[in-house]
Amino acid sequence: MDFDGPMMSKSVCFLIFGMWVLLVVAMADDGITVNTSSSSSRGPKVVNIGALLTVNSVIGRSVKPAIIAAIDDVNSDPSILGETHLNLILHDTNCSGFLGTMEALELMEKNVVAAIGPQSSTIAHVISHVVNELHVPLLSFAATDPTLSSLQYPYFLRTTQNDYYQMSAIADLIEHFEWKEVIAIYVDDDYGRNGISSLADSLVKNRAKISYKAAFPSGSPLNEITEILTAVNLMESRVYVVHVNPDTGVGIFSIAKKLGMMTSGYVWITTDWLPAVLDSSEQPDSDSSDTVAVLQGVVSLRQHTPVSDLKKSFRTKWKNFNSYALYGYDSVWLVAHALDAFLKSGESVTFSSDRNLPNVNGSTLQLTALQTFNEGPKLLQALLSTNFTGLTGEFRFDQDKNLVHPAYEVLNIGGTGFRTVGYWSKLSGLSVNSPENNSTDAKQRLYSVIWPGETMVKPRGWVFPNNGKPLRIGVPYRHGYKEVVTKDVRSPQGVRGYSIDVFEAAVNLLPYPVPRKYILYGDGVRNPSYSNLVAAVAGDTFDAAVGDVTITTNRTRIVDFTQPYMESGLVIVVPVKKTKTSQWAFLKPFTIEMWLVTGGFFLLVGFVVWILEHRFNHEFRGPPSQQIITILWFSFSTMFFSHRENTVSTLGRFVLLLWLFVVLIINSSYTASLTSILTVQQLTSGIEGIDGIISSNEPIGIQDGSFAYNYLVQELNIAVSRIRYLKDQTDYINALRLGPKRGGVAAIVDELPYVELFMTYTNCEFRIVGREFTKSGWGFAFQRDSPLSLDLSTAILQLSENGDLERIHDKWLTPRSATSCSSQATTDTNSLSLSSFWGLFLICGIACFISLGIYFYRVLCQYRRFNPDLEESHEILEPESARRSSSRSLLSTSFKDLIDFYDRKEAEIKEMLKRHSLQGNRHNDSPS
């Protein structure tokens, strides 16, 4: 057969090409490395990049055009990759885990150097094992499952925010509004389960918890979701966190609206799937308006991307895009920057067969077609070290392969759209300022939120469940002091007492009904252990404990208490006896020193007044014996303010007035002290306070079940052998009457309310000594973070303010004689000593000496002017002799003359001085 020239040439060419293909395949089967790059050192002309996403989905419809636009922008930018172009190979995962895995395996056959996607966390878990084997970096813009960041998936790179940070933001949001329990509604796959698990961990750090997890499979029918929402609507919590897929999430709110769960009192918080739906929706129409209408009051998070010129330019080209589209766009540029650095370092792009993949004969699975990217580890390091600024801001990985600076916007849906009420970032937490402009001194954390029902009042976040389960309330079944709380078979509640009335009054003030059931704790034979009762509340045996439960430090560590409704504290009770009055009891008010000093001052003041009044007052004159009697009578008659002698001198009146004031104080003190001594009761033991309890070795009684045991043993180191348990008031009386020598106790340590009740059964036979050495109170115990504890605390304060709490107290616990008995316990029976009055005596003594000094100074001045010679001779003296006499010194005066001069009356002295003055004037006028 003949062949023409051109035909022959074509045949030869095809033959040569076929042989080359066979050679390449054979070399590949033998594990020979094939360099698909150009022989030129400038790098390959084309590099394949894969993309895995569900095209017909909320995220896919927004991300697909963003990735294509990024490929075009990279290929048209000569400053990056040079002559190398990126070739996008896109595979649709069809929102199916199985099909998505098949599509991913098929993509790996195309010798891609990196794969962008998938958007599903479930598919990402499977594909991560494949790329680990083939060394192909996997960059996911939407797989937010926190567990994908583990060391198990080294080739998985999350180019979006980690749900770990989103759940931390939700936990801070819940803490900000002071909610303690939430219900999680989520899709039951890797994305939903692991995200909610991260939320639970974050809530625990803020002392909150997930009370119920409502999970449903992906693609569940509406009737199944309706059943789930109906069930959670019967539960206590009204705070719902919704973590589902964007394509089916809005339907949950449509069902919730039909069930009446989008009204006042409900709280709906969603993750960033909801803004993705709203951001990528078309222009407002009837459908979108209906969607927003069912979302009124919902609070949601959206990945925060800072405002930039690049982002504004992108927004002008693409009207409807969500944050996932921005991260998808930046993912392409991340690959481009890493490849550029990778190729410029002289690396090539080569693939080889994986010897670990089996060659199964007869199988349609062409596993041998999967090629290993030889330079994959180096490209991975280039990706991790790349740092650039994209649409989402700074694009850089931290040491945990998470994007730096995670931040979210807090959105509130209302009206026809949504508004930003705050931000959350890893560094600053919640704030009204954006993370780029946030300051550490910003005090406001969020703007006001419009909740479902168009209210700005923060929802309480919980109600009592409508599932028929009343509140289980443990009530101590006491043996003694039944006025506080005890069993009551005639009451429909089954219990009665002071604590029950307070609790019922507080519950009636709550704005919502509280179904409750009282359950007795104990057998009534002896008082139950209150510490065990509190532990039963913490262990979920009871929802609350209502009774005389003392608030202690150890108990507050395991349960929450309400505001105390009764002040309490430990006191000491001891027996007392009447004092036998002695015949010398009237001397006990003062000590011996006080008696001696007082008597001495009576004599001193009498003598001082006699001196000051002797020359002026005739009542203080007469024979010596009469004057001594006058001094003694006047001195002691001032004790009763019955002195009959009048004082006429100014100094005498001053001293007497001051002394009468001192006598008044002494008389009053004596009377009060004597009255106390004659009526006070005396202790029969040496215990007078807490120090006596510690230093003594005598037995001490405590109430059965009281926390006083732990306090005495652990805090005061009292020996356990000294403790005696007493059941009721009768045991108290018998033990105190017997005393420690006859098998009783020396004292009883109990709380003040019980002691006041105990006093009503005795006739001041016992009394309180010392002061309260603990300060505490009675409160109602609830499980940790129970919202009832806060509401009931407010109700108790309201009862206290309107007087109802006092009226309930008077109804059950009014002490009839406790006050009078307690008042006697504070009476001081010690004798009054000089130290209590030395100031008065000092002032009185100083006044006496000052008055005497002034008086004697006047007397001496008069005596110097007085001449006894002129008085005796009545002769006219010469002027020189008169002058010599008038100027005579006191040294020449005899003591007898001075006493005679003092003994004369004041009127006589003044008359003689006047006469001497006239005689001296005559001698001066006569001629020499």
Side-chain angles (χ1 to χ4, degrees), residues 479-540:
H479 176 76
Y481 298 111
K482 296 183 178 180
E483 297 90 341
V484 178
V485 61
T486 190
K487 179 181 179 181
D488 186 8
V489 295
R490 295 175 295 179
S491 171
Q493 300 170 342
V495 290
R496 64 179 176 86
Y498 168 67
S499 298
I500 300 300
D501 281 6
V502 173
F503 182 76
E504 288 290 330
V507 168
N508 292 334
L509 292 178
L510 299 180
Y512 48 85
V514 180
R516 52 200 178 275
K517 178 182 179 182
Y518 294 102
I519 304 172
L520 291 172
Y521 182 79
D523 54 11
V525 177
R526 56 180 299 181
N527 296 334
S529 171
Y530 282 67
S531 296
N532 294 340
L533 174 60
V534 173
V537 175
D540 199 31

Side-chain angles (χ1 to χ4, degrees), residues 364-425:
T364 57
L365 296 175
Q366 300 296 327
L367 298 179
T368 56
L370 299 175
Q371 301 288 307
T372 300
F373 180 24
N374 297 325
E375 290 77 19
K378 295 180 180 180
L379 180 60
L380 177 63
Q381 294 303 318
L383 289 167
L384 291 174
S385 60
T386 299
N387 182 9
F388 71 99
T389 301
L391 294 178
T392 58
E394 183 182 6
F395 211 95
R396 177 167 58 90
F397 294 101
D398 60 16
Q399 60 182 1
D400 296 324
K401 297 193 303 183
N402 290 318
L403 291 180
V404 296
H405 309 313
Y408 290 86
E409 299 172 7
V410 183
L411 307 178
N412 182 209
I413 301 176
T416 59
F418 50 78
R419 63 189 182 96
T420 302
V421 296
Y423 300 88
W424 181 93
S425 68

Side-chain angles (χ1 to χ4, degrees), residues 22-307:
L22 292 175
L23 179 63
V24 170
V25 173
M27 293 173 66
D29 292 339
D30 292 338
I32 301 175
T33 301
V34 178
N35 191 344
T36 60
S37 64
S38 173
S39 59
S40 173
S41 60
R42 291 175 296 178
K45 293 293 184 182
V46 177
V47 175
N48 292 333
I49 294 180
L52 294 169
L53 58 131
T54 302
V55 176
N56 189 23
S57 66
V58 171
I59 296 178
R61 286 189 293 270
S62 182
V63 173
K64 178 182 177 180
I67 293 178
I68 295 174
I71 294 291
D72 294 339
D73 292 343
V74 169
N75 290 334
S76 61
D77 190 347
S79 64
I80 189 169
L81 290 177
E83 297 180 0
T84 301
H85 286 262
L86 299 180
N87 178 39
L88 179 65
I89 303 175
L90 190 147
H91 281 249
D92 190 356
T93 58
N94 294 307
C95 198
S96 169
F98 175 75
L99 295 178
T101 303
M102 294 299 101
E103 292 292 335
L105 292 174
E106 184 178 349
L107 177 64
M108 294 297 109
E109 297 177 356
K110 306 295 178 60
N111 291 338
V112 295
V113 299
I116 298 176
Q119 66 189 58
S120 169
S121 297
T122 302
I123 301 177
H125 275 279
V126 179
I127 301 303
S128 293
H129 293 285
V130 177
V131 298
N132 287 350
E133 182 67 26
L134 302 179
H135 299 170
V136 178
L138 183 66
L139 290 75
S140 178
F141 53 85
T144 57
D145 178 5
T147 61
L148 287 170
S149 297
S150 64
L151 299 176
Q152 184 182 5
Y153 308 113
Y155 281 86
F156 175 84
L157 294 180
R158 193 195 321 273
T159 56
T160 186
Q161 301 294 349
N162 191 335
D163 268 347
Y164 169 80
Y165 299 112
Q166 179 171 211
M167 297 308 172
S168 297
I170 292 178
D172 287 352
L173 191 68
I174 292 171
E175 182 189 30
H176 173 72
F177 290 108
E178 299 177 342
W179 296 315
K180 296 301 181 181
E181 294 185 3
V182 302
I183 292 178
I185 302 173
Y186 61 98
V187 61
D188 192 13
D189 58 11
D190 292 330
Y191 160 74
R193 286 191 302 270
N194 295 331
I196 293 302
S197 177
S198 180
L199 174 63
D201 294 339
S202 299
L203 289 174
V204 168
K205 297 177 183 177
N206 297 339
R207 290 190 60 184
K209 65 179 181 179
I210 298 176
S211 60
Y212 183 76
K213 295 181 179 180
F216 57 89
S218 179
S220 297
L222 295 180
N223 60 343
E224 185 174 342
I225 297 177
T226 302
E227 292 177 0
I228 293 175
L229 293 182
T230 302
V232 301
N233 194 32
L234 298 176
M235 297 179 183
E236 179 177 316
S237 179
R238 282 290 186 264
V239 181
Y240 306 121
V241 177
V242 183
H243 185 54
V244 296
N245 295 320
D247 298 276
T248 58
V250 176
I252 295 176
F253 291 95
S254 300
I255 298 173
K257 188 173 181 64
K258 294 179 181 179
L259 295 176
M261 300 174 66
M262 298 298 296
T263 58
S264 178
Y266 289 86
V267 177
W268 292 89
I269 302 174
T270 75
T271 51
D272 55 5
W273 65 266
L274 182 56
V277 174
L278 300 178
D279 289 337
S280 58
S281 62
E282 301 294 334
Q283 296 296 326
D285 54 19
S286 59
D287 294 336
S288 61
S289 299
D290 294 340
T291 300
V292 175
V294 301
L295 297 172
Q296 297 294 303
V298 175
V299 175
S300 183
L301 296 183
R302 179 173 63 185
Q303 296 165 332
H304 172 71
T305 55
V307 178

Side-chain angles (χ1 to χ4, degrees), residues 694-771:
I694 298 175
S695 60
S696 173
N697 291 321
E698 296 178 336
I700 304 299
I702 64 170
Q703 185 180 170
D704 194 12
S706 172
F707 80 99
Y709 175 85
N710 292 333
Y711 183 84
L712 293 176
V713 174
Q714 298 177 7
E715 301 295 334
L716 303 182
N717 297 320
I718 303 297
V720 177
S721 58
R722 295 178 56 193
I723 306 298
R724 303 288 186 272
Y725 287 104
L726 306 175
K727 292 183 179 181
D728 52 19
Q729 299 92 323
T730 304
D731 286 355
Y732 279 31
I733 296 173
N734 294 334
L736 288 173
R737 286 176 177 174
L738 289 174
K741 296 182 180 179
R742 294 185 295 172
V745 296
I748 291 177
V749 177
D750 204 352
E751 295 180 73
L752 183 60
Y754 300 122
V755 173
E756 290 180 343
L757 274 175
F758 171 65
M759 292 296 187
T760 62
Y761 297 99
T762 64
N763 186 21
C764 293
E765 187 179 352
F766 314 100
R767 83 171 196 190
I768 301 172
V769 294
R771 298 180 179 178

Side-chain angles (χ1 to χ4, degrees), residues 7 47 138 147 275 305 321 335 414-415 464 572 635 647 708 784 807 838 880-881 906:
M7 183 65 70
V47 175
L138 183 66
T147 61
T305 55
F321 66 92
V335 175
F464 269 92
I572 302 173
S635 298
T647 54
R784 294 297 295 269
R807 284 189 286 271
W838 71 269
E880 183 178 356
S881 177
E906 183 72 13

Side-chain angles (χ1 to χ4, degrees), residues 442-460:
K443 296 182 179 179
Q444 188 173 2
R445 301 180 66 186
L446 288 178
Y447 291 116
S448 59
V449 176
I450 301 176
W451 304 101
E454 298 183 356
T455 176
M456 297 182 68
V457 179
K458 183 195 77 172
R460 189 169 61 247

Side-chain angles (χ1 to χ4, degrees), residues 594-671:
M594 181 65 182
W595 280 118
L596 293 176
V597 172
T598 303
F601 261 86
F602 272 109
L603 295 176
L604 174 64
V605 172
F607 181 69
V608 170
V609 172
W610 176 83
I611 292 175
L612 297 177
E613 293 289 324
H614 179 70
R615 300 180 63 190
F616 298 91
N617 194 339
H618 69 279
E619 294 182 353
F620 289 87
R621 301 182 66 83
S625 59
Q626 181 180 351
Q627 295 186 44
I628 293 174
I629 294 174
T630 300
I631 292 173
L632 295 175
W633 167 255
F634 180 83
S635 298
F636 292 100
S637 62
T638 55
M639 179 185 301
F640 311 102
F641 307 99
S642 59
H643 51 282
R644 64 186 181 184
E645 293 81 8
N646 295 322
T647 54
V648 296
S649 67
T650 303
L651 293 177
R653 290 176 177 178
F654 169 71
V655 171
L656 181 60
L657 180 63
L658 192 59
W659 173 245
L660 291 178
F661 174 74
V662 175
V663 170
L664 176 64
I665 300 299
I666 293 176
N667 283 343
S668 301
S669 302
Y670 177 86
T671 304

